[in-house]
Structures are given as C-alpha cells and as structure tokens.
Amino acid sequence: MDIRNNVLRQLKNRRAGFSLEQPFYIDEDYFKLDMEMIYYRDWLFMGHDCELPKPGAYFTVQIGQYPVVIVRGRDNVIRAFHNSCRHRGSRVCTKEHGSSVRLVCPYHQWAYDLDGKLAFARHMGDDFDKSGYSLKPVHCESFAGYIFICLAEKAPDFQPIRDVVSPYLLPHRLSEGKIAFQSTIIEKGNWKLVWENNRECYHCAANHPELCRTYPEAPSVTGTDGGADDPEIAGHWARCEAAGLPSRFQISPDGQFRAARMPLIEDAESYTMSGKSAVKRPLSEDVKIDRIGTMLLFHYPTTWNHLLGDHAISFRVLPLSANETAVTTKWIVHKDAVEGVDYNIEELTHVWTETNDQDRRIVEENAFGIHSPAYEPGPYSMLHEGGVMQFLEWYSTFMVNRLQGDRSKLSDVA
C-alpha cells in the first residue's frame, strides 16, 4: 500500500465536521507519516529560557527518533544541537537537565564547546581536523521566555509567530521566572486525540470539577470565533488593553497558532480551588491590574498555555508512538518567589494535576473505543466543538499541502 497516496486520498475526501478515519488514530504507518510531515519539519515548543539560567545550562528532549540538546552559550545565546556525538553517534548529554562548561560525550570523551564546536578529541592524531566535526545544529528560536526548535534542514519562517505572539507574552516577563514544578504524564492515545480533547470544553462539566470552579466552559472561550460577540469577553479585552495588555483574539492565517486573553469565572484570579491567587508575589510587575484572566496561547502541534497574573502554565505535547503521547506541564512563578512563603506547591498545581489526570483517562477511553472494528467517524457538536473542527482542518490542510508538495518535488526531479 502506498501510505502517502492513501492518506492524501482520505484527507481530501474526509467528511467535514466529523472525526477522522480509524487509521489516523491507531496505525503506526500513519503515525510515522505524521512525524515526518509535521514534527520533523515544523517549529516545536520545547521549554523556557528560564530553565537555562546561566551559560552551560542545558536540557535534553527526544522528538521521535531525534535526541536534541538545548544549551545556553557563553554569549548567552540559546542554541540547539542534535544530541549525537560526531565520533560514533553516542548521546552526548544523557541527563534531562544539567550544566557543564563543555558538553562531553561519556563514551570516548569527545568534548564540545557550548557553541557546538569540537574542542577536544583524544588520541585522534596530529593531522585530525576538528573543524569538520562540530555537533550538528538544530534551528532554534527563543523569544519572550519561550524556546522553539525545528528539525528540518530548512525551517519555515519564524517571524510571523514572533510578531503576533510576542506582544501577548512580553508583559508576563517569563524570562525572569522560574519553574516551580513540572510533571510529565504518558497518555495512551494518539497525539491528535490529546489535541482534540484540549480543543473543547464540551466534556468539562462532567469531567473537570476542579477546573470548572474557575475556567468557563462557554464555547466562546474555547472556540474559533474569538468571543468578540460575547459582551463579557469584549469588556474583558477592553479593560485589559486599557491597562496595556494585548488581549483580543488573533489567529494565524493558516490556523496554526492563536492568542487571546479570556476572563475566568466571576472574580477568580487563578486556577485554585478558592479562585484566589496561588502565588503572593505577582509573576510580573508590568501587569498593573487584577483579574486579568488567562492569556491562552496555542501553537500546533506542541503547545497550549495559560498565563495568569500570579503564574503561568505551559503544556508540551510530544508523540511517542501511534498510541502514546507525552504531555509535559510546567508551572512558572516569579524567580524570587519562595516556596512555602509565597506559594504552596499543592495549591499551585492541584487544579491542573487533577485536570491532566482526568484528561489522560478521557483520551485513553477515547483511544480504547476507536480501536474497535465497529468504530466509524462521528459528528462534532457545531456549538461546542468548533475548536476541534478547526484543529482537524489545520491538520488535514497541513498534511495535504506537504504531501502534494513532496509529490511535486519528486515529479520535478523525475
């Protein structure tokens, strides 16, 4: 079977407003094509620059088949490299987080400077030219506290993301924050099911009692129209923008990323059981008003985010297989906030720790049912699941364009 032609045919003929055919959610060949067309070619959110507080600090990540290390150089520039030694391919950095004056391969001690250049290769002879064996670079962009990488040989233009999103992020000053807590859960479901579940709150009332204390389930908050016709949302935007906080709904022309500031329920300040702030010290002194709600940032395929007045939460989606997805959550507070004094970890993390576990169960039950031979695509709610339909529209268009582009390149070569 020609998997590419089969996927292309199914996506072109898919029924609008319905879920995808079964193989898109469970088949390993379809999954490999997702990785090749999307995760290996596009900009991916990896983490935050506050995780690399000084030169030599690094963290590692595995994206499909690619191990990557992200490090802050002596010039304070954040760079990414393929985490594979140029000697015999061993991983150079084996820890999830670390700090070193050089990156040293544990196998034969080849040592690389923080800019990736090979500095030392023992017993390779006097005529060995180190200049040809630097770590292979990965495209890397850091802005407003966020780090994105791209594994492609030629990366898409990152400037549109920076131009649209930066004004929404900068007032929160995440570069001056710190990770108060992080967790990674493995959801036994396809990465698209993780995203579909995230893109609607149709399921919230029945499944998320903690989140529903503060987060509205209104379709205007999670949907695709931005909520401009909702008087409460429009009033919230006007109030926040008068205080210098960009807030109105913006979405990229291709639907890949969006940003908007949304109100929480009533007078809620944060995602806590009481609705009160979880952190006494505000995340940023640039935010001059209270009740700013949550700044929602989405970027397919790897991240959704909530930026509040007292802290921020980022989520990273990395597929492991057709039927497993890693979701990493990070809670960010002001760098000088003191645990046990300014915040309590349990209070800070409780709502989203519970919500993440509830979503894990939802995704796994969804995946379990889709494996049934009786499964067939079902209709989405036009009222509540507009965000899901938009995600699948982005996915389908993205895949079709790239598959057709590849076919065109092949025919040009032929």
Side-chain angles (χ1 to χ4, degrees):
M1 177 181 67
D2 186 336
I3 185 70
R4 290 176 171 239
N5 284 334
N6 204 42
V7 167
L8 194 57
R9 175 184 58 79
Q10 288 179 308
L11 289 177
K12 281 186 170 183
N13 295 326
R14 77 181 184 93
R15 190 174 178 182
F18 279 67
S19 56
L20 296 171
E21 297 284 345
Q22 186 185 54
F24 286 93
Y25 298 118
I26 69 171
D27 187 274
E28 284 293 340
D29 288 331
Y30 280 60
F31 168 76
K32 290 176 183 176
L33 196 59
D34 278 357
M35 296 301 289
E36 181 183 343
M37 293 291 108
I38 297 177
Y39 273 84
Y40 294 165
R41 297 197 189 185
D42 217 276
W43 288 105
L44 311 174
F45 165 69
M46 288 293 104
H48 301 280
D49 55 10
C50 67
E51 298 178 68
L52 307 174
K54 60 183 180 180
Y58 68 84
F59 65 84
T60 61
V61 66
Q62 184 76 28
I63 306 157
Q65 296 177 316
Y66 291 89
V68 174
V69 58
I70 300 168
V71 60
R72 185 182 290 275
R74 291 185 178 85
D75 54 3
N76 274 318
V77 174
I78 295 174
R79 299 178 177 87
F81 302 99
H82 290 283
N83 191 11
S84 178
C85 184
R86 296 299 307 281
H87 176 213
R88 287 170 57 186
S90 177
R91 277 199 306 170
V92 176
C93 298
T94 58
K95 297 190 296 183
E96 185 177 356
H97 289 86
S99 183
S100 180
V101 294
R102 281 180 175 165
L103 307 180
V104 181
C105 178
Y107 197 180
H108 301 98
Q109 287 74 57
W110 280 33
Y112 300 88
D113 282 331
L114 302 180
D115 61 2
K117 293 178 181 178
L118 180 61
F120 177 71
R122 57 194 294 268
H123 300 168
M124 291 299 292
D126 295 337
D127 59 348
F128 177 67
D129 183 4
K130 298 192 299 291
S131 65
Y133 296 93
S134 300
L135 290 175
K136 291 187 176 181
V138 174
H139 299 285
C140 184
E141 293 278 352
S142 58
F143 75 109
Y146 281 69
I147 301 171
F148 280 74
I149 69 168
C150 179
L151 293 164
E153 183 176 337
K154 183 178 180 181
D157 185 7
F158 191 79
Q159 198 60 41
I161 304 171
R162 188 187 296 271
D163 290 344
V164 171
V165 175
S166 288
Y168 289 81
L169 297 179
L170 285 171
H172 295 272
R173 296 170 70 166
L174 293 192
S175 293
E176 299 174 26
K178 68 177 180 180
I179 307 297
F181 189 77
Q182 72 176 68
S183 70
T184 296
I185 61 173
I186 307 302
E187 302 189 14
K188 295 180 180 178
N190 189 271
W191 70 277
K192 294 187 291 296
L193 293 180
V194 173
W195 266 109
E196 288 187 36
N197 178 63
N198 171 266
R199 294 308 304 118
E200 48 91 357
C201 216
Y202 192 21
H203 70 281
C204 288
N207 294 278
H208 296 319
E210 295 85 3
L211 182 63
C212 284
R213 285 173 173 261
T214 53
Y215 185 79
E217 64 171 338
S220 53
V221 174
T222 56
T224 56
D225 62 1
D229 295 331
D230 185 316
E232 183 180 357
I233 293 176
H236 184 71
W237 289 347
R239 176 175 170 273
C240 290
E241 291 190 344
L245 299 175
S247 300
R248 296 182 187 278
F249 180 87
Q250 284 205 60
I251 187 168
S252 61
D254 62 2
Q256 186 172 21
F257 61 91
R258 71 182 70 179
R261 197 175 302 278
M262 293 295 179
L264 298 179
I265 291 175
E266 298 177 347
D267 292 327
E269 290 276 7
S270 191
Y271 292 125
T272 58
M273 297 299 286
S274 67
K276 297 179 181 179
S277 293
V279 187
K280 293 178 182 177
R281 180 156 191 165
L283 182 59
S284 169
E285 296 176 356
D286 290 344
V287 177
K288 306 295 186 182
I289 60 172
D290 59 5
R291 293 182 293 109
I292 65 170
T294 177
M295 210 298 290
L296 298 174
L297 168 64
F298 300 90
H299 186 283
Y300 303 145
T302 45
T303 189
W304 65 84
N305 304 262
H306 293 262
L307 283 73
L308 307 125
D310 63 332
H311 71 283
I313 315 164
S314 67
F315 303 79
R316 185 183 70 194
V317 179
L318 289 179
L320 303 179
S321 70
N323 298 289
E324 284 191 320
T325 306
V327 178
T328 297
T329 308
K330 298 179 181 181
W331 286 261
I332 305 164
V333 301
H334 191 281
K335 64 180 179 180
D336 295 328
V338 179
E339 182 183 351
V341 176
D342 296 308
Y343 63 95
N344 173 275
I345 287 292
E346 166 63 20
E347 183 183 27
L348 176 69
T349 63
H350 179 76
V351 168
W352 276 106
T353 297
E354 293 299 310
T355 302
N356 284 345
D357 192 55
Q358 293 152 3
D359 281 331
R360 176 191 59 77
R361 294 197 299 268
I362 290 167
V363 168
E364 291 179 358
E365 288 298 333
N366 195 183
F368 199 89
I370 288 174
H371 275 80
S372 168
Y375 166 82
E376 61 182 57
Y380 293 118
S381 164
M382 298 300 292
L383 175 62
H384 284 281
E385 295 177 301
V388 184
M389 290 186 279
Q390 188 276 330
F391 166 70
L392 285 187
E393 183 64 29
W394 168 81
Y395 168 77
S396 299
T397 302
F398 207 80
M399 290 289 285
V400 166
N401 288 344
R402 289 207 165 160
L403 287 167
Q404 288 183 330
D406 284 0
R407 177 186 286 176
S408 174
K409 291 175 185 176
L410 288 172
S411 63
D412 288 344
V413 172

